[in-house]
Amino acid sequence: MNQIESIRFMKALRKIKDAGISVWAIYTHAFYHTQGFENIIGRNNFWGVIKPHRWPGLVTVKAIKEYDASDAKVVSTTEFADWETIDEALAFYLKRIEKDYDSSWKCKSCAYCFLFGLEYWDKDSIYERRLIDAYEFIRHDPEIGNDFEHYV
């Protein structure tokens, strides 16, 4: 785990902590997609957000490995959205959750409900189960827990 990036992300969560949103869920989602904050896309893309159509912001191009219909591994380049600051990234992320993930947004204060509502964020058929497993790991990791209490 990249503790410096993890703490940088935690500090940004302070600003939304009182908005009634589970900061643990948002942290877990970012932790999962960045493999412990080791693989952040560009500057501040913590969730693998692909560049939306007519995106006016920063773009990071990255080669990704996927499987095609015949289960063969293929490499393609993808344009990902990026942001100057974590605050901008979080604002976009929360707007996207509110707009496209109604079940997550309706119970945004509960980490479990929030994460289960993200089932279509990824193509993985057990995606939400993987997020819950990551959440359980994070919540019981003493180092992350201590940092979370201190920085968020």
Side-chain angles (χ1 to χ4, degrees), residues 3-138:
Q3 189 174 18
I4 293 169
E5 290 297 329
S6 173
I7 290 170
R8 185 173 76 93
F9 191 81
M10 286 178 189
K11 287 179 178 178
L13 289 176
R14 284 182 188 163
K15 296 174 184 156
I16 61 168
K17 183 178 176 180
D18 297 327
I21 301 166
S22 171
V23 290
W24 278 103
I26 296 168
Y27 179 85
T28 298
H29 200 199
F31 182 95
Y32 178 81
H33 271 280
T34 61
Q35 293 87 37
F37 296 94
E38 293 288 343
N39 297 306
I40 299 165
I41 297 171
R43 295 178 187 173
N44 293 297
N45 187 333
F46 298 92
W47 307 281
V49 176
I50 294 172
K51 179 187 83 127
H53 184 65
R54 296 186 180 136
W55 176 247
L58 298 173
V59 174
T60 297
V61 178
K62 184 174 181 178
I64 58 169
K65 296 173 189 167
E66 296 183 306
Y67 293 92
D68 66 13
S70 65
D71 246 8
K73 190 183 267 187
V74 294
V75 177
S76 63
T77 56
T78 302
E79 291 184 323
F80 290 91
D82 202 358
W83 298 269
E84 290 283 345
T85 67
I86 296 176
D87 293 342
E88 291 172 5
L90 282 169
F92 177 91
Y93 174 79
L94 293 173
K95 283 179 190 169
R96 181 164 181 201
I97 298 296
E98 183 177 16
K99 179 180 173 251
D100 297 335
Y101 296 88
D102 192 52
S103 59
S104 286
W105 193 253
K106 282 183 180 174
C107 63
K108 60 188 175 221
S109 63
C110 171
Y112 289 103
C113 292
F114 186 95
L115 294 170
F116 268 117
L118 298 173
E119 63 185 315
Y120 299 111
W121 191 278
D122 193 279
K123 296 174 187 174
D124 185 344
S125 63
I126 59 168
Y127 180 68
E128 61 276 1
R129 181 72 252 160
R130 293 182 198 275
L131 289 176
I132 295 300
D133 288 347
Y135 174 68
E136 292 295 334
F137 168 78
I138 290 165

